[in-house]
């Protein structure tokens, strides 16, 4: 899956809000269990840039295994065209694309 957006700014796999992990796992509770806090402080600082700069493409073909009772879960593999992972209220990385079966 190439369209994997990540809002976990402090995750080591987050580069420009794109997940660069080769594979991720989503738990039965919709949490991204691949989340790993970055050891580099301030790595994802937002900066302003001129309009002539194109947005860097950090996307990789990420395999997404899923154990959630989700519409996109097909034999423990996510078949969505793309997913978004962001921070839940409790600070946990959570799949926002989840649709209950």
């Amino acid at each position: 899956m190439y369209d994997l957006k990540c809002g976990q700014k402090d995750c080591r796999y987050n580069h420009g809000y794109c997940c660069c992990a080769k594979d991720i796992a989503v738990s039965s509770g919709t949490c991204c269990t691949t989340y790993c806090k970055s050891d580099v402080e301030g790595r994802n600082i937002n900066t302003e840039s001129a309009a002539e700069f194109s947005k860097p493409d950090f996307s990789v073909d990420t395999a997404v295994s899923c154990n959630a009772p989700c519409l996109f879960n097909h034999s423990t593999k996510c078949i969505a065209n793309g997913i978004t992972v962001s921070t839940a209220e409790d600070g946990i990385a959570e799949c926002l694309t989840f649709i209950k079966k």
Side-chain angles (χ1 to χ4, degrees), residues 11-48:
C11 182
R12 71 181 343 207
Y13 302 111
N14 182 338
H15 296 282
Y17 295 97
C18 293
C19 179
C20 292
K22 293 289 181 194
D23 51 60
I24 69 165
V26 176
S27 72
S28 59
T30 72
C31 296
C32 175
T33 60
T34 308
Y35 164 76
C36 182
K37 187 173 174 97
S38 174
D39 55 356
V40 180
E41 197 170 318
R43 182 178 65 72
N44 287 314
I45 297 173
N46 292 329
T47 58
E48 231 177 272

Side-chain angles (χ1 to χ4, degrees), residues 68-82:
C70 180
L71 180 68
F72 300 114
N73 181 346
H74 184 69
S75 300
T76 70
K77 299 290 179 204
C78 181
I79 60 168
N81 289 333

